[in-house]
Amino acid sequence: MTPPLRVRVRPYADLARYFPGTGAVREVDVPAGATIQDLLERYGVDAEPRLTLGLNGELAQRDAALAAGDVVDILVPMSGGA
Amino acid sequence: MAGSAGSVRRRILRVDLTTGRATVERPEPHFMRLHMGGRNLIAHTLLTEVPPGIDAFDPENRLVFALGPITGVSVPGGSRHSVGAKSPLTGLFGESEAGGYWGAELKRAGWDAVIVQGRAPHPVYLWVHDDEVELRDARSLWGELTGPVEARIRADLGDPQVRVAQIGPAGENLVRFACIVHDLNEVAGRTGLGAVMGSKNLKAIAVRGTQPVTASDPRAIAGVARWVAQETLAPGEPHHRLHTWGTGAMVKSKQLEGHLVTRNFRDGRLPGGDQVDALAIQELTDHEMDRCYACSVRCKKRVKITRPDVEVDPKYGGPEYETMAAIGPNTGVVDVMAVCKGHEMLNALGMDSISCGATIAWAMEMVELGLMDEHRLSGETLRFGSADDLLRVIGKIASREGVGDLLAEGSLRAARTLGADAEARVVHVKGLEVAMHDPRAMPEMRRNYPVTPTGGDHTGAAGKRSGLRNTVGLCHFLQYDESTTLTLLNASTGWDVSPDELHATFERGITMARLFNLREGLKPEDDRLPDRLHQPVRDGPLRDRLLSRDTVRDEVRAYYRDHGWDPATGRPYADTIEYLGLGSVAAAAQATTFVAERREALPAGRPPYAPQPEENGAPAE
């Protein structure tokens, strides 16, 4: 059995409520081969209508695959766009 | 009327500073319902009273403090009022809004608006205490920062509850982007209205009222207020983020997406730039949230810093997103402490943070490119990323010292003294520096900036939602749908305004502002974005994205058409003017030559403008 991946999540402002723990960075485990979408679904963040996602400091899409030690930024885009 | 049910006082205070005379005007009920207040009352006043083509510093310019019908009603968001004049920055329709307590206090004093005209022979301040109105000597206050002035006026009047709207030294010195500071932290920032106030030798308007503002239907008002307080502030609810952090909690999203306004809109991201945000301010400073009148959302930051290298006084509040970006990444500065200090300075000196930051950023680029010589710089250094340079030049602009004298003219006027290369790099619309949301990445900004009557303003005031809120006196941040806005308006006033009438009110305001601008020389080609925003950012995910001029031009024409204006010239059609009841206004304003004739008559009974779908989503921070 493949061990889970441990990644670091930075949920900004009120998005922190989706993740266990405290602090700006939360460590979570996801199954091997998981994507950002899998992470979002696992913690219920995919319920948010619009998200901006970062992977290791760069803009990322939901289908980006995760690797151990990755840092995932989860934000709501600032208003004014469409 | 004052004190009776209904939030409209039907009383306008007119003060002629040249003669020192104050008069009370009692508009007909029909007039108040037609124009309501705020932006619309400002537009009507400027159109009918300001002589065509005068300089903004001419004593004949009007400075209008206009409340809305909801201003002063005890409901979240009901704190707002508008200030307007012919702008010294754009030469066009000038309008800006503020919250806090001043507007509500003026309504409690029994007034819907104050119209100021003329020029006092020496600095004065206006004291409005219910029906008592007095001009008081302000010579000893001239040159003072806003904080000490507020304290001295309150001491002078013997009342710590007095609310003060005032200019700082920047307004006195006619800095073209000087603002009007209310309660030290609520500024009518845009379009240089503080300089108009300074040109009139008016240091402040101090207000105290004792007459409750009684809504016509207090139960309906209380229901909305209860909904905001009890159901919208918890995590995941509409106002939670503003309630907890205020504006600027998601700056990192701009960095990731590649449209963080950086170095005069040249770059799309900046290492550390996303650290200038509300989360860092909350973490790194002694910080608390404060509120405007009757508002449970409490989205106003109060920042206190006491460190050996920097101190920030919380009485000046704390930076909103626009300020963070304008004097942060846009100048290359990523030091959040310096940004908080810059905010304090701007409110103490009385300058618009967007125009000031944008003008400094433009100047930094000029220095970097060698387009601003040593003579112009007069010994100053202006380097992207230098917090010391930033803070020093903020002070010099307010006092018009050295290079500050040039920059106090605003970026467009300053650039025109340097030549075409410098002017091509000014990020402005109609002379107003563009706010801190990049239209290359944000379609709503792309559609709004070119056609907003004041120029590069981010609040969506060319659109129905924000345009109406500027008229009725309601905060953009409250997540009220149009139906709730209408409920608040009718419950406040006792009117029975329908959705169609509300829409017509918006069209009336935007069309009057348009007529004013056309009369003052606006051309269709001025409804555009600047060159810089048709170039891609230099790095990041958007570096290959080009915003075409055709896209913007087509959207501008569509905007004209949707508002009953000629798509080619942007001139309102005669049937639009007639439908909105503005025929006599256009005639009195000497603006009838700026009205177009429609080639084909509209079907009977059809409004000359298009339906406006409700604008969803949160307004820009």
Side-chain angles (χ1 to χ4, degrees):
Chain A
M1 182 174 173
T2 312
L5 305 173
R6 176 154 293 187
V7 299
R8 287 182 289 167
V9 177
R10 291 194 294 208
Y12 281 69
D14 50 317
L15 298 179
R17 70 185 186 277
Y18 289 104
F19 295 91
T22 58
V25 181
R26 316 281 171 91
E27 292 200 340
V28 299
D29 291 335
V30 294
T35 63
I36 293 179
Q37 176 65 21
D38 296 329
L39 170 72
L40 299 178
E41 287 178 11
R42 180 171 187 148
Y43 290 96
V45 198
D46 60 323
E48 290 286 331
R50 298 173 66 205
L51 290 171
T52 298
L53 303 164
L55 183 59
N56 301 323
E58 296 292 337
L59 187 65
Q61 303 302 317
R62 290 173 183 242
D63 60 1
L66 294 172
D70 278 348
V71 177
V72 180
D73 289 307
I74 304 177
L75 301 99
V76 172
M78 279 191 73
S79 48
Chain B
M1 186 89 179
S4 62
S7 59
V8 176
R9 303 299 201 187
R10 210 157 58 78
R11 280 159 48 98
I12 295 174
L13 174 62
R14 183 180 297 273
V15 178
D16 187 327
L17 293 170
T18 302
T19 63
R21 186 173 302 148
T23 51
V24 181
E25 298 179 0
R26 298 293 309 264
E28 293 299 319
H30 170 72
F31 178 92
M32 293 308 296
R33 174 115 172 215
L34 190 68
H35 295 295
M36 293 193 184
R39 167 199 277 180
N40 285 29
L41 186 62
I42 288 166
H44 182 273
T45 304
L46 299 186
L47 256 181
T48 56
E49 298 188 21
V50 174
I54 64 165
D55 188 88
F57 295 145
D58 190 297
E60 282 301 297
N61 197 3
R62 299 295 193 265
L63 182 63
V64 185
F65 294 78
L67 313 183
I70 300 175
T71 311
V73 172
S74 188
V75 67
S79 67
R80 307 285 291 184
H81 69 279
S82 297
V83 189
K86 180 174 180 177
S87 165
L89 198 57
T90 66
L92 301 172
F93 180 72
E95 181 201 352
S96 197
E97 302 79 39
Y101 292 83
W102 188 91
E105 196 71 25
L106 185 66
K107 185 71 74 74
R108 285 172 60 86
W111 305 97
D112 295 309
V114 178
I115 300 174
V116 181
Q117 61 195 64
R119 176 185 291 149
H122 61 77
V124 295
Y125 78 87
L126 177 64
W127 166 225
V128 180
H129 186 196
D130 291 331
D131 285 346
E132 297 171 25
V133 177
E134 180 186 0
L135 286 171
R136 298 173 73 100
D137 195 327
R139 278 176 285 199
S140 69
L141 302 174
W142 208 248
E144 295 289 331
L145 301 176
T146 57
V149 166
E150 182 183 82
R152 285 180 56 189
I153 287 177
R154 286 174 169 173
D156 184 30
L157 298 171
D159 185 348
Q161 299 300 316
V162 166
R163 298 292 177 182
V164 179
Q166 60 169 313
I167 57 171
E172 300 167 11
N173 293 327
L174 307 184
V175 174
R176 287 182 187 270
F177 45 81
C179 66
I180 298 175
V181 182
H182 307 71
D183 302 323
L184 302 185
N185 186 38
E186 291 294 329
V187 304
R190 308 242 58 198
T191 70
L193 302 169
V196 176
M197 195 159 162
S199 76
K200 294 184 176 306
N201 265 333
L202 181 61
K203 179 68 172 172
I205 302 180
V207 179
R208 189 77 166 100
T210 62
Q211 306 162 60
V213 180
T214 308
S216 180
D217 183 353
R219 186 173 295 184
I221 297 293
V224 174
R226 198 163 44 244
W227 171 73
V228 174
Q230 296 180 0
E231 298 183 39
T232 73
L233 304 179
E237 301 299 338
H239 298 117
H240 175 255
R241 195 175 307 140
L242 277 173
H243 178 63
T244 308
W245 292 276
T247 59
M250 293 288 175
V251 173
K252 175 80 174 182
S253 69
K254 287 181 177 287
Q255 174 94 318
L256 285 169
E257 292 165 1
H259 55 95
L260 183 73
V261 176
T262 301
R263 300 190 190 101
N264 197 32
F265 283 84
R266 195 177 64 188
D267 309 317
R269 53 186 183 179
L270 177 70
D274 53 332
Q275 301 300 306
V276 183
D277 72 354
L279 308 180
I281 288 173
Q282 193 166 88
E283 182 183 337
L284 299 173
T285 73
D286 188 359
H287 162 283
E288 61 183 34
M289 302 304 290
D290 199 1
R291 67 175 189 145
C292 295
Y293 171 80
C295 194
S296 50
V297 175
R298 299 178 65 90
C299 75
K300 308 300 297 184
K301 302 177 191 70
R302 285 207 177 273
V303 171
K304 181 181 181 183
I305 301 175
T306 47
R307 298 190 344 178
D309 56 334
V310 58
E311 292 192 0
V312 171
D313 189 332
K315 72 186 176 202
Y316 294 104
E320 303 292 347
Y321 164 71
E322 290 292 332
T323 303
M324 294 176 210
I327 63 173
N330 196 35
T331 65
V333 170
V334 298
D335 178 350
V336 72
M337 296 293 176
V339 168
C340 290
K341 185 65 184 176
H343 162 85
E344 178 202 67
M345 292 176 68
L346 289 161
N347 280 8
L349 296 165
M351 291 191 289
D352 174 35
S353 60
I354 298 174
S355 283
C356 188
T359 300
I360 293 170
W362 164 83
M364 288 172 165
E365 185 176 348
M366 295 306 96
V367 171
E368 192 174 275
L369 294 172
L371 292 173
M372 190 179 290
D373 59 28
E374 289 297 322
H375 172 70
R376 300 265 185 187
L377 279 168
S378 22
E380 189 57 74
T381 52
L382 281 169
R383 297 160 296 186
F384 277 129
S386 169
D388 289 342
D389 291 357
L390 169 74
L391 298 179
R392 199 171 52 250
V393 82
I394 287 175
K396 290 192 172 183
I397 291 172
S399 60
R400 282 186 171 270
E401 182 186 349
V403 72
D405 191 38
L406 176 68
L407 303 186
E409 291 295 290
S411 52
L412 183 60
R413 276 183 176 77
R416 285 178 173 161
T417 71
L418 300 184
D421 285 350
E423 186 173 341
R425 290 170 171 82
V426 177
V427 187
H428 76 99
V429 176
K430 301 178 177 67
L432 183 72
E433 289 77 10
V434 167
M436 297 295 120
H437 294 282
D438 194 326
R440 290 170 290 193
M442 304 176 77
E444 288 182 15
M445 297 298 145
R446 187 187 72 219
R447 289 188 285 267
N448 260 288
Y449 286 146
V451 290
T452 297
T454 50
D457 181 88
H458 66 292
T459 59
K464 183 178 168 189
R465 182 186 190 275
S466 293
L468 275 174
R469 290 189 181 210
N470 291 353
T471 294
V472 303
L474 197 56
C475 179
H476 297 212
F477 286 148
L478 269 293
Q479 296 293 303
Y480 298 139
D481 59 17
E482 192 170 312
S483 169
T484 305
T485 300
L486 197 58
T487 296
L488 290 175
L489 177 63
N490 286 331
S492 296
T493 59
W495 295 338
D496 57 353
V497 173
S498 68
D500 286 347
E501 184 181 347
L502 192 67
H503 184 189
T505 301
F506 160 66
E507 299 289 350
R508 196 172 291 117
I510 206 84
T511 297
M512 284 192 290
R514 183 73 183 175
L515 275 179
F516 183 82
N517 279 348
L518 289 168
R519 194 194 71 178
E520 298 303 312
L522 181 81
K523 301 287 184 279
E525 52 267 32
D526 297 323
D527 293 330
R528 62 190 288 268
L529 291 176
D531 293 346
R532 172 58 51 88
L533 300 180
H534 290 293
Q535 300 158 358
V537 293
R538 293 204 309 192
D539 65 351
L542 300 181
R543 64 184 173 278
D544 296 324
R545 183 186 293 188
L546 190 66
L547 172 56
S548 83
R549 294 176 198 277
D550 287 348
T551 297
V552 173
R553 191 192 60 227
D554 291 348
E555 289 177 344
V556 167
R557 287 179 176 171
Y559 183 86
Y560 294 167
R561 185 195 62 227
D562 288 349
H563 293 284
W565 307 346
D566 183 335
T569 66
R571 295 183 173 196
Y573 283 128
D575 56 18
T576 305
I577 298 294
E578 183 183 343
Y579 189 91
L580 295 172
L582 295 175
S584 61
V585 174
Q590 303 173 50
T592 50
T593 56
F594 302 104
V595 174
E597 291 295 333
R598 199 188 292 267
R599 287 183 185 168
E600 294 180 16
L602 281 173
R606 195 187 120 189
Y609 40 79
Q612 295 282 305
E614 185 156 350
E615 296 159 45
N616 296 318
E621 295 176 8

